[in-house]
């Protein structure tokens, strides 16, 4: 397996993961009330806690994408240039 193939793999992983993050963000911003009603049936949670949980999890997911997809892709790109 060569570095170009691995670089493309990590690049596409980042694209797919950022797409999933974008869908999550869109669902959260456009359907927040519906999502809150659904989750508040199962758990006792305030709207502030609901927002905090979602924004925090989105931040953790984004950091994971950067660490596990974008950083290896950039490293492989740098290696490939030398």
């Amino acid at each position: 397996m060569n570095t170009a193939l691995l670089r493309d793999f990590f690049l596409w992983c980042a694209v797919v993961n950022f797409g999933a993050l974008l869908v999550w963000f869109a669902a959260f911003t456009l359907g927040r009330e519906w999502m809150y009603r659904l989750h508040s049936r199962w758990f006792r949670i305030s709207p502030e806690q609901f927002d905090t949980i979602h924004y925090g999890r989105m931040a953790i997911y984004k950091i994971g994408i950067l660490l596990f997809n974008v950083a290896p892709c950039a490293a492989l790109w740098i290696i490939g240039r030398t």
Side-chain angles (χ1 to χ4, degrees):
M1 194 175 294
N2 59 12
T3 58
L5 182 63
L6 280 174
R7 185 186 64 231
D8 290 344
F9 171 76
F10 283 118
L11 179 64
W12 279 109
C13 284
V15 168
V16 169
N17 279 305
F18 273 121
L21 184 63
L22 188 62
V23 168
W24 183 5
F25 179 75
F28 181 72
T29 55
L30 299 174
R32 185 192 167 283
E33 291 301 321
W34 174 79
M35 287 174 60
Y36 175 70
R37 282 194 313 266
L38 179 68
H39 287 101
S40 64
R41 288 182 195 162
W42 300 328
F43 309 105
R44 281 196 251 169
I45 189 169
S46 71
E48 293 81 18
Q49 289 173 321
F50 182 75
D51 291 344
T52 302
I53 289 168
H54 275 278
Y55 282 123
R57 298 284 166 93
M58 281 188 238
I60 291 169
Y61 191 69
K62 185 173 22 172
I63 291 169
I65 295 168
L66 293 172
L67 287 175
F68 297 117
N69 297 142
V70 176
C73 183
L76 288 168
W77 182 74
I78 292 168
I79 289 171
R81 292 192 70 209
T82 60

